[in-house]
Structures are given as C-alpha cells and as structure tokens.
C-alpha cells in the first residue's frame, strides 16, 4: 500500500492519522464526560482528557498539513449524489473544525483557571471551577456536536458500504 492516496483509496499516512485521531477523540470524549461526572474525584480522568485532546488536536493539524503539502483525497464514489457530496464535505470540514475549536476552548480554560501546569504535574489537589470561565460553554457544546457528527459520519459510511454496496469503508482500511 502506498503512503499517499490514489484516486480510489486513501494512503497509509491518511489511514493511520484517521484512525489514531478517531481513537484519541473517542478517549477524550469518554474521559471528559467521566471527569465532569466525577467532579472532585475526576482529576485522573481530566488528565487523560487533556492528553488525548491535545494529541488529537496536534495530529489533526498534522493531517491538515499532510493534505495541503503531500497528499490528495480520493475521488468521490459514483454512488454519491450532489446533495450527499455537499453534506459529506460539510461533515468532514466540521470533523476538523469542531475538534480544533474544542482544543482552543480547552486550552483557554486551562489558561483562564491557571490550572494547566498543576493538573499535568499532579500537584493539583482540587479541580478548578471550569464553569466560571467563558470557554466552558462552547467546549461542552462542541463535545455534543462532535458526538452527533461522528454518528452521522459512521452512519453514512455504513450506509454506503452495506446498503449502496460501494464498499466505501475499504478506502479507509489497510
């Protein structure tokens, strides 16, 4: 398999970035909701959330650079109509923009509460009041929007692969 994408398949780099980012975002969402639910006892979950979110954000930036500098996406499949193609494009853009917005709001919360170094070093004994800082609202909204976008993305891939029979999922697997 080639490092770069062809007209019909994604390359190894794009595939690895896709799946690693997907796993990190999933872990960031799970640990973020766990930290919120655990409250004062959620420091470990919050640390995991910060690490997974930061790595997902960094790799998303790497992915953008990869597409801009070294690779191109495969052509759309023949079974995609005009409105489906536009919707798919919007969902894919939002799957990049929303996580980057969440990264920015997460960093903003750490800066505004002054808690970042203490959380990551393990010296913090109580969680800061994230609700008191402005980025908290968009961060929580972004998490819910991201879950909806992931659901639409997965449903569309399964629809294409199994209902339309165009085996779309095979483009993103090794």
């Amino acid at each position: 398999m080639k490092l770069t994408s062809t007209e019909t398949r994604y390359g190894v780099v794009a595939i690895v970035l896709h799946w690693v980012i997907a796993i990190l975002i999933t872990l960031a969402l799970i640990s973020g909701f766990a930290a919120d639910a655990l409250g004062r006892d959620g420091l470990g979950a919050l640390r995991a959330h910060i690490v997974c979110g930061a790595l997902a954000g960094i790799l998303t930036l790497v992915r953008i650079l990869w597409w801009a500098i070294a690779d191109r996406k495969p052509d759309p499949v023949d079974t995609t109509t005009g409105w489906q193609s536009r919707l798919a494009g919007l969902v894919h853009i939002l799957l990049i923009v929303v996580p980057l917005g969440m990264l920015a709001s997460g960093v903003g919360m750490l800066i505004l509460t002054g808690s970042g170094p203490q959380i990551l070093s393990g010296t913090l004994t109580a969680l800061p009041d994230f609700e008191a800082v402005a980025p908290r609202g968009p961060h929580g909204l972004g998490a819910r929007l991201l879950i909806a976008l992931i659901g639409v993305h997965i449903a569309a891939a399964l629809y294409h692969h199994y209902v339309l029979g165009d085996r779309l999922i095979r483009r993103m697997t090794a």
Side-chain angles (χ1 to χ4, degrees):
M1 180 174 254
K2 293 177 57 174
L3 287 178
T4 57
S5 303
T6 67
E7 296 84 22
T8 59
R9 285 187 64 80
Y10 287 93
V12 171
V13 174
I15 291 170
V16 169
L17 285 171
H18 175 273
W19 290 110
V20 170
I21 292 168
I23 290 166
L24 287 169
I25 286 175
T26 300
L27 293 172
L29 286 167
I30 291 168
S31 58
F33 283 114
D36 193 43
L38 292 169
R40 292 179 131 348
D41 298 323
L43 191 54
L46 182 61
R47 279 192 198 108
H49 176 70
I50 291 169
V51 170
C52 290
L55 288 173
I58 291 166
L59 288 178
T60 298
L61 293 173
V62 168
R63 188 178 195 190
I64 292 168
L65 286 173
W66 176 250
W67 289 123
I69 296 169
D71 202 4
R72 66 180 193 88
K73 295 181 181 182
D75 296 334
V77 291
D78 294 338
T79 55
T80 303
T81 63
W83 71 269
Q84 287 174 331
S85 182
R86 288 189 297 278
L87 181 60
L90 176 63
V91 169
H92 284 113
I93 288 170
L94 290 174
L95 282 169
I96 292 170
V97 171
V98 171
L100 290 178
M102 292 187 67
L103 176 64
S105 62
V107 169
M109 287 190 291
L110 293 175
I111 291 170
L112 291 173
T113 61
S115 62
Q118 295 86 8
I119 290 172
L120 295 175
S121 69
T123 59
L124 192 69
T125 56
L127 291 178
D129 183 12
F130 289 119
E131 299 293 333
V133 295
R136 176 61 182 99
H139 197 73
L141 178 63
R144 285 156 181 82
L145 177 58
L146 190 54
I147 290 169
L149 289 167
I150 291 168
V152 168
H153 182 64
I154 292 170
L158 293 173
Y159 173 75
H160 270 273
H161 193 78
Y162 293 108
V163 176
L164 297 179
D166 59 19
R167 305 176 62 81
L168 186 71
I169 292 174
R170 297 195 77 203
R171 292 165 48 125
M172 191 48 82
T173 57

